[in-house]
Each structure stands twice: as C-alpha cells, then as structure tokens.
Amino acid sequence: GQNIDQPTEMTATEGAIVQINCTYQTSGFNGLFWYQQHAGEAPTFLSYNVLDGLEEKGRFSSFLSRSKGYSYLLLKELQMKDSASYLCAVLDFSGGYQKVTFGTGTKLQVIP
Amino acid sequence: DGGITQSPKYLFRKEGQNVTLSCEQNLNHDAMYWYRQDPGQGLRLIYYSQIVNDFQKGDIAEGYSVSREKKESFPLTVTSAQKNPTAFYLCASSIGTGSDTQYFGPGTRLTVL
C-alpha cells in the first residue's frame, strides 16, 4: 500500500515564496507528480520527478529525494491566482502494474 | 481543439436510480481513468482502461461499472448499489499508463437526492 502526507492548508503572502511538502511511503516508487487544482475545477499538471534533485519551471520548482521519500513544490513570487489546492501523486509499480495514487492535497491561500 | 470533455457539469438524481456520466477525449490517448473526489480526501481511482475493450478495477470500484467500446469514450455508470454516490467525478486520459501525464476533464458534480 501507499501512504502520502501533505499539510492540509497553508497561507502565504502575495510576492513571497512558499514550500509545500509531501512525504510518501511506497515499495515500488516510479515517480512523483504535482498537480494544481482550483476549487471546482480539474487538476492541471505542474511537474513530474523521477530522479533526485530540483526541477525548475518558471515560478514553480519541484524537488525529490527518493532515499528520504520526500518531495516539495516551491512557488516563487506568489500571485493571488496561485490560491488553489496542490496535489502530490505517487507513481507506484506493484502487483504487476503501474498506478498513480493521489494525496489529499494542500489548500494554499495567498493573501495580499 | 484537442481535449477531454465531461458532461454535464452538474447532475442530480434520485436515490435508487442508475446514472451514466460521459467522458470523451480527442487526444488519441490509449489510457483513460475515472476518479472520485470527496472533501478532505484525495482523488480515488474507480476504474481505468489501458486500451479499447479492456478495463480494470481501481481502489473503489464497488457500485460502479464502465465500458470502453471506443478509444475516445469511457462512460461511467453509478449504480444504485453505490452507497454514497454524491461526489465530484473526474475523468482523465494519458498517452499510456505509468509515467505519462494524466490530463483531466472538467468534472461532473453528482448529487443524489
């Protein structure tokens, strides 16, 4: 089975930097996704990490440490439109097939 | 425009009735998925299909059924056997399974009265 942990809620100020952490436990790790989901809308893809290290994509960066079972999403120069839930999802190979399991998500509120 | 569509956005049904949610994609993706999202919980996988005429149960398949007769379409039926069907249902597709990014439809919010 899998266990994925993320903080439930976070608040940050416009223009600031925020780091959203995700820890996981799985036996057949094959990669980790981050998705953004605005309230009532579909999740949209942000990043995919399979190797250790930092992947930067504009204002958003994602980090992975496979040995620690840990990832974070870093959002810089926060904007009001970044208020959303951020979902960590782990790709796991077990039982002969690959499967993506989502965490419960972190609801980020950006305040002026 | 290429994309994945779900209709309707909001759906109301009486308890005891079966209801079918539609999901269509024109991305030429082989794999399609159905998830359910409830407040305070992550997306939970109901069914997925890797290829036409083939599908597998996810974590919470009880009370649901699917078909995959065409590559573009993956309808989900919520049967009267589903004990708590009121939820936000999301359909997704990807080129293949595994590390391929999943692209989500806009979702259908089902309310059973």
Side-chain angles (χ1 to χ4, degrees), chain B residues 12-100:
Chain B
F12 296 88
R13 278 294 182 269
K14 290 184 179 179
E15 195 172 337
Q17 290 182 334
N18 291 357
V19 60
T20 298
L21 281 57
S22 76
C23 177
E24 304 279 330
Q25 55 97 1
N26 61 4
L27 300 167
N28 201 32
H29 286 173
D30 283 320
M32 296 187 75
Y33 312 80
W34 274 105
Y35 292 92
R36 170 184 172 137
Q37 189 173 36
D38 296 281
Q41 297 199 43
L43 275 68
R44 292 184 290 168
L45 183 65
I46 304 172
Y47 268 97
Y48 69 101
S49 168
Q50 295 177 295
I51 200 165
V52 175
N53 292 323
D54 184 53
F55 49 84
Q56 288 81 37
K57 292 182 179 180
D59 299 317
I60 55 165
E62 186 175 348
Y64 299 97
S65 65
V66 293
S67 62
R68 187 86 188 277
E69 296 175 4
K70 298 187 299 181
K71 189 174 187 178
E72 304 79 20
S73 178
F74 191 41
L76 173 76
T77 297
V78 184
T79 75
S80 56
Q82 169 49 233
K83 290 182 171 44
N84 189 16
T86 294
F88 188 46
Y89 289 88
L90 285 159
C91 179
S93 70
S94 61
I95 295 173
T97 55
S99 61
D100 292 321

Side-chain angles (χ1 to χ4, degrees), chain A residues 61-98:
Chain A
S61 303
S62 56
F63 172 84
L64 176 68
S65 169
R66 294 175 67 127
S67 61
K68 295 181 180 176
Y70 168 68
S71 172
Y72 68 72
L73 181 69
L74 193 71
L75 289 74
K76 303 176 187 174
E77 301 168 17
L78 279 172
Q79 302 175 8
M80 299 300 290
K81 68 178 182 180
D82 296 331
S83 293
S85 288
Y86 291 86
L87 313 179
C88 170
V90 172
L91 177 62
D92 174 77
F93 186 81
S94 63
Y97 63 95
Q98 299 203 75

